[in-house]
Amino acid sequence: MKKITKEHIEILYKFTREHFVEHFDVQTELVDHLANDIEIQWQKNPNLTFEQAKLNAFKKFGVFGFMDVYGARQGALQKKYLKILWHHAKDWLKLPKIIATFILYYFLYTGLKRYDDTFALIILGFIISFGLIKHILLLKKVKKRQKISGKKWLLEDLIFKGMFLGGITGVNLFNIINLASPENYDVLWSLVYALIFTILIIYIYVGTMVLPPKAEALLIETYPEYKLA
Amino acid sequence: MANQNLYKGSLQTIILKLLSENEKMYGYEITQKVKEITKGKLTITEGALYPTLHKLEAQGLLSVEVKEVSNRLRKYYKLTESGIEETNQKLLELENFIQTITTLINPKIA
């Protein structure tokens, strides 16, 4: 009986890349699926060429090809990433870190109350600048990692590029503050904005400073194939 | 082939049930097993299978294991403790649903 060879496997990995699946973890599952399907087709029709069997197997994924599978995997891992982020962020709501959180919150509250919009825009400008600089540095780092290993992992991309979401949130907040905030911050406005800024600072800190150094451990924990690859 | 739309809402239950009867399974194996058991009446499409497996994995109902088999890496799924509980719950829900449908379409039997 005809069997899939190592060379065929390489071709199948290339085929998934050509169909917009660039992450090794998703590719691996698809490659095994295609390989199984091709071998079953060969059992019934040994004269079928590898290319034809490959296309037959791919057609079964429907008009959107691998996109449904890829999208679902991305969604599942985004949820996982947010869970990991929350797991580390909640440390800042427990002793001893909650003391630092409270000091930060109080600093932001008094600053907003005393200096109003000017303070809000300076703080936000600082958060966005810090976030963007870290984002660029992390992008460089992940590109280097992926160049060395020759493989991209979906969770790895989320860990190193997840900041993008923070950047967008920051820019939106900047607009909201520009358009919707009052000239003078009373107690309620100051409390609300101080809370939003505190959450944003913790989110960006955990996303850019805490998680990326733990990337290796998180990838090993998430992907049983990480060490085999 | 039966109307596939009728099975859509039960896909998670079907996968969980199969995994409860087999220690671990990989994606392609699941599609073939369903085809074999239902004698081809039900086909799980690739576009529906993997999103469901990934969702169940993200919910912590399945755990994964990867092995090198025939020149390639193969990802196996198996039920976690909470997956076993969820399977029982979902099977119960499905039985109740079948009972309700039977009552609706054939009140005499019910």
Side-chain angles (χ1 to χ4, degrees):
Chain A
M1 193 184 77
K2 271 165 86 177
K3 281 274 180 192
I4 288 283
T5 63
K6 272 194 173 173
E7 288 69 37
H8 289 141
I9 294 295
E10 285 307 313
I11 295 170
L12 290 177
Y13 270 108
K14 194 169 166 243
F15 183 72
T16 58
R17 278 196 294 276
E18 284 165 1
H19 288 84
F20 315 109
V21 180
E22 55 174 352
H23 295 101
F24 186 74
D25 42 326
V26 191
Q27 288 171 351
T28 297
E29 192 161 42
L30 292 171
V31 164
D32 183 46
H33 188 98
L34 294 170
N36 284 316
D37 199 81
I38 293 168
E39 284 177 346
I40 294 285
Q41 289 183 61
W42 277 342
Q43 274 180 27
K44 293 172 192 163
N45 181 5
N47 297 325
L48 204 61
T49 65
F50 170 74
E51 277 304 310
Q52 191 51 55
K54 181 185 80 180
L55 291 177
N56 290 344
F58 179 59
K59 270 185 199 160
K60 293 176 189 168
F61 280 85
V63 282
F64 296 111
F66 299 137
M67 292 324 287
D68 286 340
V69 178
Y70 188 70
R73 186 68 186 151
Q74 203 172 24
L77 279 177
Q78 272 168 353
K79 270 187 197 163
K80 186 181 174 83
Y81 173 74
L82 287 175
K83 263 188 197 170
I84 297 169
L85 197 79
W86 168 239
H87 175 77
H88 286 87
K90 71 182 179 193
D91 283 350
W92 294 87
L93 302 174
K94 292 179 196 161
L95 277 169
K97 285 182 180 163
I98 195 167
I99 298 167
T101 308
F102 183 76
I103 292 169
L104 173 69
Y105 182 72
Y106 186 72
F107 164 73
L108 293 168
Y109 167 75
T110 46
L112 285 166
K113 197 129 188 330
R114 186 180 288 184
Y115 303 108
D116 304 311
D117 238 7
T118 316
F119 183 79
L121 293 174
I122 289 172
I123 290 293
L124 204 55
F126 173 75
I127 295 172
I128 294 172
S129 310
F130 175 80
L132 282 177
I133 292 167
K134 279 303 289 181
H135 181 55
I136 293 165
L137 292 175
L138 287 170
L139 274 182
K140 275 189 178 174
K141 206 171 181 179
V142 75
K143 270 188 186 166
K144 201 177 162 189
R145 272 177 68 101
Q146 290 170 345
K147 203 177 171 187
I148 294 168
S149 70
K151 291 180 181 71
K152 286 182 179 182
W153 302 82
L154 199 43
L155 187 65
E156 180 187 47
D157 265 0
L158 286 170
I159 291 170
F160 286 92
K161 298 177 184 172
M163 243 309 294
F164 182 65
L165 185 68
I168 294 292
T169 316
V171 172
N172 284 339
L173 261 179
F174 202 83
N175 288 331
I176 291 168
I177 286 179
N178 254 340
L179 299 170
S181 65
E183 281 299 309
N184 297 308
Y185 280 70
D186 59 13
V187 174
L188 186 66
W189 273 106
S190 304
L191 285 173
V192 170
Y193 272 94
L195 180 68
I196 294 171
F197 287 158
T198 308
I199 292 170
L200 199 60
I201 290 170
I202 292 175
Y203 168 68
I204 290 176
Y205 177 77
V206 174
T208 61
M209 305 290 285
V210 179
L211 296 188
K214 293 180 192 284
E216 206 62 17
L218 289 168
L219 292 175
I220 291 171
E221 185 192 302
T222 307
Y223 300 117
E225 68 268 45
Y226 189 71
K227 286 196 162 178
L228 291 172
Chain B
M1 196 186 290
N3 185 345
Q4 300 291 316
N5 281 332
L6 293 174
Y7 294 105
K8 266 187 186 168
S10 309
L11 188 55
Q12 284 196 4
T13 315
I14 293 168
I15 292 172
L16 290 170
K17 170 72 176 157
L18 278 176
L19 287 168
S20 73
E21 289 166 352
N22 298 274
E23 193 206 339
K24 59 183 180 188
M25 292 178 94
Y26 54 96
Y28 193 78
E29 189 183 11
I30 294 174
T31 61
Q32 296 306 295
K33 194 81 181 167
V34 169
K35 217 189 263 180
E36 181 196 316
I37 294 172
T38 64
K39 295 189 173 68
K41 281 184 183 170
L42 174 61
T43 333
I44 299 184
T45 61
E46 285 74 358
L49 172 75
Y50 289 106
T52 308
L53 283 171
H54 296 159
K55 204 172 171 186
L56 292 170
E57 186 193 342
Q59 287 170 352
L61 302 176
L62 303 183
S63 63
V64 292
E65 184 179 309
V66 175
K67 279 189 179 171
E68 196 168 348
V69 182
S70 321
N71 298 322
R72 54 193 186 256
L73 294 174
R74 179 166 291 164
K75 189 173 173 184
Y76 288 94
Y77 293 89
K78 54 184 179 183
L79 289 179
T80 59
E81 282 298 317
S82 52
I84 295 169
E85 283 172 31
E86 186 67 14
T87 307
N88 296 333
Q89 182 61 34
K90 281 202 177 290
L91 283 172
L92 204 66
E93 282 170 17
L94 187 61
E95 275 168 28
N96 288 338
F97 173 73
I98 293 167
Q99 185 88 46
T100 310
I101 291 292
T102 311
T103 314
L104 268 174
I105 59 173
N106 204 342
K108 280 178 193 168
I109 292 177

